[in-house]
Amino acid sequence: MRKLRILRILLAACSLLALTAVFADFTGTAAAWFGWTAKLQFWPAVLGGSLVAAVAVLACTLLVGRVYCSVVCPLGILQDVLVFLRRLFGFRFPVSGESANARWTRQAIHLASTVVFVSGGFLGLHFQWLEPYAVYGRAASTLLAPLVRLGNNALAGWAERHASYAFHAVEVVAPPVAVMALSAALLVLVCALALWKGRLWCNAVCPVGWLLGCAARHAWLKPRIDAAKCVKCGQCARACKARAIDVANGTVDGAKCVACFDCGAACQKGAVTWSK
């Protein structure tokens, strides 16, 4: 399980860096090299008619669960980075599971946001403020891309003063203030929820998370806890960023699990497995 976790982290890091470069780069180089990563995004593939990508994501989810959310989705990977920082400072998630009232409230909100998102899409009103790829892309293009251009211009000015013209200044066009403010506010909200409750955004708001969660319930391989090996230490639950593990009952909610393999790596008894 530790090897799978390391592989997941490496793939996720490459995916996040590639997509960030595509959004922030103004030369077109990143798009030429890494533009294909954008075609792997589930909802853009659905809207764009790219059935191969959409079917591949669904097939992968039905095979091993929501790996897409931990390896491909940039907003999901960003939340994982924040969870890592939380753990780095010694703050781990509690062992206690989700109460019945909290679960029903979360599921109701999640279903409502998904219905609004999907129905709006059929009506031509694409609520991109809820779609994870659009949320991350808008934040990167409106908040990060202008800073990259400003940095390039500063470097071009320095190079020119030293008789070098390897860099050239580019125009910096500030996005509308309202778009920047909304992008920043939404990004702060997602980050705050990640630091507070891990993947709460993914399992309470994100429509793609809800759709893939429904498929993950029927995944061929699922995270399972071997009752014979489990000592109820709670290490797996503390490591679970999706709060999907019920230690008392020895169960894992496959719909919430984002297949990060953190639980298996944290278990010292080998009680957590990915099996049929």
Side-chain angles (χ1 to χ4, degrees):
M1 194 73 77
R2 289 183 176 86
K3 292 181 179 179
L4 288 175
R5 179 176 179 268
I6 293 173
L7 177 61
R8 189 267 304 172
I9 292 174
L10 291 175
L11 291 175
C14 293
S15 178
L16 183 63
L17 290 174
L19 284 169
T20 303
V22 169
F23 282 116
D25 181 39
F26 57 87
T27 64
T29 304
W33 280 88
F34 308 118
W36 59 271
T37 57
K39 299 178 181 179
L40 299 178
Q41 303 302 313
F42 178 70
W43 196 250
V46 172
L47 293 179
S50 180
L51 295 181
V52 174
V55 170
V57 171
L58 286 175
C60 185
T61 304
L62 288 171
L63 179 63
V64 293
R66 291 169 57 183
V67 173
Y68 169 89
C69 298
S70 288
V71 176
V72 181
C73 176
L75 195 65
I77 300 170
L78 175 63
Q79 292 174 77
D80 288 350
V81 172
L82 294 171
V83 170
F84 169 77
L85 294 176
R86 171 188 165 124
R87 291 173 179 166
L88 194 64
F89 287 97
F91 298 100
R92 304 189 73 183
F93 296 113
V95 177
S96 57
E98 187 179 39
S99 67
N101 289 335
R103 181 174 65 254
W104 282 110
T105 301
R106 175 183 58 80
Q107 290 176 343
I109 294 173
H110 210 183
L111 179 60
S113 67
T114 305
V115 169
V116 170
F117 177 79
V118 175
S119 60
F122 282 113
L123 294 174
L125 304 173
H126 303 305
F127 294 94
Q128 296 181 2
W129 293 99
L130 294 177
E131 201 278 321
Y133 176 68
V135 171
Y136 184 83
R138 187 177 288 105
S141 60
T142 59
L143 303 176
L144 180 60
L147 295 179
V148 171
R149 287 173 175 258
L150 288 172
N152 171 82
N153 291 350
L155 185 60
W158 177 86
E160 185 176 354
R161 289 193 296 273
H162 290 79
S164 173
Y165 298 93
F167 301 91
H168 66 279
V170 295
E171 183 182 6
V172 180
V173 179
V177 176
V179 175
M180 291 185 65
L182 286 172
S183 298
L186 190 55
L187 185 65
V188 169
L189 174 61
V190 173
C191 292
L193 290 177
L195 290 172
W196 178 42
K197 293 286 188 179
R199 287 295 196 101
L200 182 60
W201 173 272
C202 302
N203 288 320
V205 180
C206 177
V208 175
W210 186 86
L211 292 169
L212 295 183
C214 291
R217 290 183 186 275
H218 308 285
W220 184 52
L221 299 177
K222 301 178 183 178
R224 301 186 186 280
I225 298 177
D226 188 340
K229 295 180 180 180
C230 180
V231 296
K232 308 292 184 182
C233 66
Q235 292 302 315
C236 57
R238 293 188 181 94
C240 181
K241 59 177 70 86
R243 309 293 298 278
I245 299 177
D246 185 343
V247 177
N249 296 315
T251 59
V252 182
D253 187 341
K256 292 175 65 178
C257 173
V258 292
C260 65
F261 307 113
D262 286 357
C263 56
C267 181
Q268 300 299 315
K269 303 297 182 179
V272 182
T273 61
W274 226 265
S275 57
K276 296 188 234 182

